[in-house]
Structures are given as C-alpha cells and as structure tokens.
C-alpha cells in the first residue's frame, strides 16, 4: 500500500503524491502565469526614463573648490580650547571649550585637531581607535578666520557593517543552507527592483498606487519562487500574498487620502517638495505603505500554505472543512505574533519621535493622531489588516487546490475526521512528522512512545484513542 507522508521525512514522496503535486502545479500555473505576465508588461510600460533634469536637490556633501572630505583614525580626545577660537583669542576675546579629536589622516601626515560639534560631543561617543570622516578646510583657511580647518562630519562604519553583513549571511546560509542562500540572492533582486524601478518612478511622478502594486508583485514573484522553488505550496502562498497585497494597496490609498497624510512634519519631505514639481510626498507615503508589509505578508502566507499541504499529506482522507480549521489554528497563532511584530518594528523605528511626543504636554489622542505619529499608526493598521485577511484566504486557496488535485482513492472510513486530531495539531504541522514514523493511508509507522513515534498495525485505522493509549 502506498504511503503519503511529510516532505520533511527521509523517504521520498510516493508516485501518487508526486502526481498530485504535478496536477496542483498545472492548475496554479494557469492562474499565476497571466498575472506574472501582466505585472512584467506593466513594469516595462512604466519603466522610468532616468531623466532627473527637473529635480534640483542640494547635495549636503558638496564642497567648494579645495575643500575635501578626508578620513582618519582618532588617537585621543580631550576637552580644550576650540581650534576655531584661536582668532577670537588673538582679538582679545575668550576661548570656547569643545571636544577635540586628535586624528592621524589615512592619507598620511601629522596628527591634526578635528573639532567635534557640541551635539556629537554631548554623547561621549568618540574615543581612541575610532575611524572618522572630517571636512578638510585647510586649503581655504590659509588667510585665517574663525572657522576650524578640520570639522568632524561622521563616523566611518564600513568595518562593523561589513562584519554584521557577513555574520548575517553566514548564519542564514548555515541554518537554511541553499534555501537561505537563494533567499539572500532574492533579497538583492528585490532591492534592485526597488532602486531601479520604484524609486525613480516616484521621482518622475508615476502613479504611486500602480507603481507600488506592480513593483511589489514583481518582487514577490521573484523572491518566493527563487527562495522556495516552483512548487504548489509556493504558488498557493503567492496567490495569498497577491490578495493581501491588493487589500493593503486599497486600504493604503483610502487611508492616505482620508487621513491627509502629506508628510509636512518631516524635514526630508520638505526637501523633496522643494526639489521637483513632479514629486508627490503623499504618493511616496502611499507607496511606502504598500511596500512596508511585504516581508511579514510573505512569511504568513508561505507558512499557511505549508501547513495545509503538510496536514493533507499526513491525512489525505480529511475533509476540506477539517483541513481548513486545522490550518487556521496555526494561522490564528501566527496572526497574534505577527501583529505584535509589525507594531514593535514600527515603534522601534520611530522611537525618537515617540520620546519627543511623550514630552509634549498634549492629550494622548491629539498626540496619537498628530502628524508626527499618524503615518506610523496608519502604516501599522493597514499592514495588519492586509496580513490578517491574507491568512484565511491563503488557507482556503490551499485547501481548494489540494482537494481538487489531491490523492485519489483514499476512503473516508480509513481515516476519520475525529482520528485526525493529533495529525492536525500545530505541533505536528510544525514538526512535519510524527516521531520517526508517518501517518498516511490509514497506517502508522511502528515505534515506541519513548522516541515519539506512533505505534500500530498496518491495517488498523488510526484513532485518537489508539494514539493516546499507545505503548
């Protein structure tokens, strides 16, 4: 008798299970291929020209002739008279005290005195051994003046950021192996779409709703299939993701207009508003609302799809209702945890704003609905609604697919709905197997309670009582 089992077991899938998966892939291909082609055609039609002649943004790192940005390593720091006070002292004034970083330039030369601005010095974050970037005014200060010839600009963070990147990639690949590597490559591709299509499109004034939908859809097609492979599970998750993305886009469009999210409380928004007539800050906010929930949405849909397929292959005789209810138990747990994830992620990103608003003497509701926090609150709510609705839809699609193309000839009497309770528990779904054995077409692998396997005979139906009272 053929056995249906989890794909995480060491045994290969049976020919019947493989045939069911092929039928599922064929059915989903007829649905997803037109959607994918539509997204690609829309991307080609909306591809930005790259012309930025109408955009005028002042470069904060632009310098006058002879002024350069140099780097060096701090040898020591001390509080002393500011180098910029030398001219003031010569004129009979009083010197001001500031933090001075004695730095050896990376290009070579003697130690120089880099004056640290008060807002940076207040944090006591500069110490010996730090690599810093400073403004070199020596060429234009030969005639004297009050400005210091070397001014601190920023820290050089190349080494710690590179180390964290290598650590992150190493951990992902070590744990997830080739799938982790594919996910990292897919992430790089997603950022390429963001930088090459979405951002230039927003600069050129493309419709933000369509831009966000098309760009996000292309990203999801690429990331999901590249990371998880061309399987029925992935295709089912993709359908659920596209549904959640559509809901999020519609809610974002309504919320941006109804709540008047215009970004006037952000200094960067003012810069963009004055840079070009074609840039819409509210459109940028709308597109951001669509993109911000992609990662979590992808996470829950792939989990729900896998949960349904896992339970179905463990118990192919289960009814559609039983599969849906079992998978939704997993989904409800996921909803609770991911809603917290979204809220805390946005709260962490907006922590300085939260602290500042908490110091204002304003009523709580005024602070919550004010321009400083409204965008973050609406981002959380819009993303959460799309996420929550995507879970039952993805689960329903997965159930319909597995029942439409699933394994034929499994009698309902062989495995009753009541007897499927252990196999449909979230723990069994996550584990993928029951101990070392598998539960398939009315059979159970032999084993003992000590190693977590389900004991039984090949011809006996699996029941809740038999599993509960196994030796």
């Amino acid at each position: 008798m053929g056995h249906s089992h989890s794909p995480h077991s060491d045994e290969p899938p049976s020919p019947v299970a493989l045939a069911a998966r092929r039928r599922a892939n064929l059915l989903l291909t007829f649905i997803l291929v037109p959607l994918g082609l539509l997204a690609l055609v829309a991307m080609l039609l909306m591809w930005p020209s790259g012309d930025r002649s109408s955009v005028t943004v002042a470069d904060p790192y632009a310098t006058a002739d002879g002024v350069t940005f140099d780097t060096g390593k701090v040898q020591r720091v001390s509080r002393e008279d500011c180098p910029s006070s030398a001219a003031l002292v010569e004129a009979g004034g009083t010197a001001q005290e500031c933090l001075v970083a004695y730095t050896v330039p990376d290009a070579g030369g003697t130690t120089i005195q880099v004056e640290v601005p008060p807002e940076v010095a207040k944090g006591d974050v500069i110490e010996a051994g730090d690599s810093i970037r400073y403004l070199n005014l020596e060429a234009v200060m030969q005639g004297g003046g009050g400005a210091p010839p070397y001014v601190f600009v920023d820290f050089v963070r190349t080494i710690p950021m590179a180390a964290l990147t290598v650590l992150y990639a190493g951990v992902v690949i070590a744990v997830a192996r080739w799938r982790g590597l594919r996910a990292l490559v897919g992430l790089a591709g997603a950022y390429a779409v963001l930088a090459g299509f979405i951002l230039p499109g927003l600069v050129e004034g493309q419709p933000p709703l369509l831009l966000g939908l098309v760009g996000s859809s292309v990203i999801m097609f690429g990331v999901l299939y590249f990371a998880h492979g061309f399987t029925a599970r992935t295709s089912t998750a993709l359908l659920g993701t596209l549904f959640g993305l559509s809901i999020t886009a519609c809610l974002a469009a309504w919320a941006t207009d109804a709540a008047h999210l215009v970004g006037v409380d952000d200094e960067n928004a003012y810069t963009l508003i004055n840079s070009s007539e074609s840039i819409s800050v509210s459109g940028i906010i709308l597109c951001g609302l669509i993109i911000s929930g992609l990662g979590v949405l992808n996470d829950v849909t792939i989990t729900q799809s896998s949960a349904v397929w896992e339970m179905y292959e463990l118990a192919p005789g289960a009814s559609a209702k039983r599969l849906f209810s079992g998978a939704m138990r997993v989904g409800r747990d996921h909803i609770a945890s991911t809603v917290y994830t979204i809220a805390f992620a946005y709260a962490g990103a907006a922590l300085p704003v939260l602290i500042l608003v908490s110091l204002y003497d304003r009523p709580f509701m005024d602070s919550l609905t004010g321009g400083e926090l409204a965008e973050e609150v609406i981002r959380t709510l819009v993303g959460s609604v799309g996420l929550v609705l995507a879970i039952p839809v993805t689960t329903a699609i997965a159930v319909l697919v597995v029942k439409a193309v699933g394994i034929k000839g499994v009698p309902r009497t062989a495995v009753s709905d009541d007897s499927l309770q252990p196999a449909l528990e979230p723990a069994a779904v996550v584990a993928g197997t029951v101990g070392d054995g598998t539960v398939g077409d009315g059979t159970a692998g032999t084993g003992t309670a000590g190693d977590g396997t389900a004991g039984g005979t090949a011809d006996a139906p699996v029941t809740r009582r038999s599993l509960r009272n196994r030796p």
Side-chain angles (χ1 to χ4, degrees):
M1 179 182 294
H3 288 73
S4 172
H5 46 74
S6 164
H8 301 294
S9 65
D10 294 332
E11 302 177 19
S14 66
V16 178
L18 288 175
R21 296 179 191 179
R22 284 193 294 268
R23 290 194 296 271
N25 283 325
L26 185 61
L27 174 63
L28 292 167
T29 297
F30 284 118
I31 301 173
L32 288 171
V33 166
L35 293 177
L37 291 176
L38 181 62
L40 285 176
V41 170
M43 173 178 276
L44 293 176
L45 294 176
M46 298 176 63
W47 195 263
S49 63
D51 181 14
R52 299 185 180 181
S53 58
S54 62
V55 181
T56 55
V57 178
D59 185 359
Y61 297 101
T63 60
D65 292 339
V67 179
T68 59
F69 283 103
D70 297 337
T71 60
K73 179 163 290 188
V74 177
Q75 300 300 303
R76 64 184 179 90
V77 295
S78 66
R79 289 194 175 273
E80 56 188 61
D81 292 345
C82 299
S84 58
S85 300
L88 183 63
V89 172
E90 291 178 2
T94 303
Q96 295 180 334
E97 186 181 84
C98 65
L99 186 68
V100 177
Y102 287 81
T103 305
V104 176
D106 290 339
T110 60
T111 302
I112 60 174
Q113 294 176 298
V114 178
E115 186 170 318
V116 181
E119 60 272 16
V120 179
K122 186 177 180 180
D124 292 328
V125 293
I126 299 182
E127 56 187 22
D130 289 341
S131 293
I132 63 172
R133 180 175 286 106
Y134 58 90
L135 192 64
N136 187 345
L137 301 170
E138 186 177 7
V140 297
M141 294 298 297
Q142 297 298 333
Y150 307 103
V151 182
F152 173 87
V153 175
D154 200 358
F155 291 94
V156 178
R157 304 179 178 90
T158 307
I159 293 178
M161 292 186 67
L164 279 175
T165 301
V166 171
L167 176 63
Y168 170 69
V171 169
V172 170
I173 295 173
V175 176
R177 300 181 182 178
W178 283 110
R179 181 166 295 183
L181 178 60
R182 293 199 303 268
L184 292 174
V185 175
L187 180 63
Y191 278 116
V193 173
L194 181 65
F197 174 69
I198 297 178
L199 297 185
L202 289 172
V203 170
E204 295 181 10
Q206 297 275 15
L209 178 62
L210 191 58
L211 196 68
L213 267 176
V214 171
S216 299
S217 298
V218 171
I219 288 174
M220 285 295 96
F221 267 92
V223 168
L224 277 171
Y225 280 128
F226 195 79
H228 301 282
F230 289 90
T231 66
R233 299 173 187 234
T234 307
S235 298
T236 303
L238 179 56
L239 276 177
T241 301
L242 294 178
F243 171 82
L245 186 61
S246 301
I247 295 295
T248 301
C250 293
L251 280 176
W254 173 83
T256 303
D257 180 63
H260 304 290
L261 298 182
V262 292
V264 294
D265 298 287
D266 189 349
E267 181 181 350
N268 294 324
Y270 279 115
T271 302
L272 289 173
I273 290 172
N274 296 322
S275 66
S276 174
E277 294 291 335
S278 61
I279 295 180
S280 168
V281 176
S282 60
I284 293 174
I285 294 174
L286 167 59
C287 195
L289 292 177
I290 297 173
I291 296 172
S292 60
L294 283 182
V296 181
L297 186 61
N298 165 36
D299 176 37
V300 297
T301 55
I302 197 71
T303 300
Q304 286 305 110
S305 176
S306 294
V308 172
W309 282 91
E310 195 78 26
M311 291 187 295
Y312 173 73
E313 294 193 358
L314 283 169
S319 65
K321 180 180 178 180
R322 192 69 192 86
L323 287 173
F324 181 84
S325 61
M328 280 304 298
R329 284 202 297 276
V330 180
R332 292 185 190 100
D333 288 337
H334 216 158
I335 287 173
S337 62
T338 49
V339 166
Y340 296 146
T341 300
I342 294 177
F344 291 146
Y346 294 149
L351 203 56
V353 177
L354 291 174
I355 294 174
L356 188 61
V357 169
S358 69
L359 298 175
Y360 296 156
D361 188 16
R362 299 176 62 190
F364 174 74
M365 287 305 299
D366 288 352
S367 299
L368 195 64
T369 58
E372 300 90 350
L373 291 180
E375 183 180 338
E376 297 301 329
V377 172
I378 290 176
R379 191 191 314 275
T380 302
L381 296 175
V382 168
S384 298
V385 171
L387 162 71
V388 171
L389 292 180
I391 287 179
V393 171
T394 304
T395 306
I397 293 173
V399 170
L400 290 175
V401 171
V402 298
K403 297 304 289 185
V405 302
I407 302 171
K408 308 298 182 182
V410 179
R412 288 293 306 276
T413 56
V415 184
S416 66
D417 282 348
D418 181 68
S419 68
L420 295 174
Q421 184 69 24
L424 298 178
E425 290 296 333
V429 173
V430 175
T433 60
V434 183
D436 296 329
T438 58
V439 180
D441 305 335
T443 65
T446 59
T448 64
D451 61 9
T453 56
T457 61
D459 299 324
V462 182
T463 64
R464 183 187 302 179
R465 178 174 299 178
S466 66
L467 287 174
R468 186 168 56 240
N469 298 328
R470 63 182 181 270

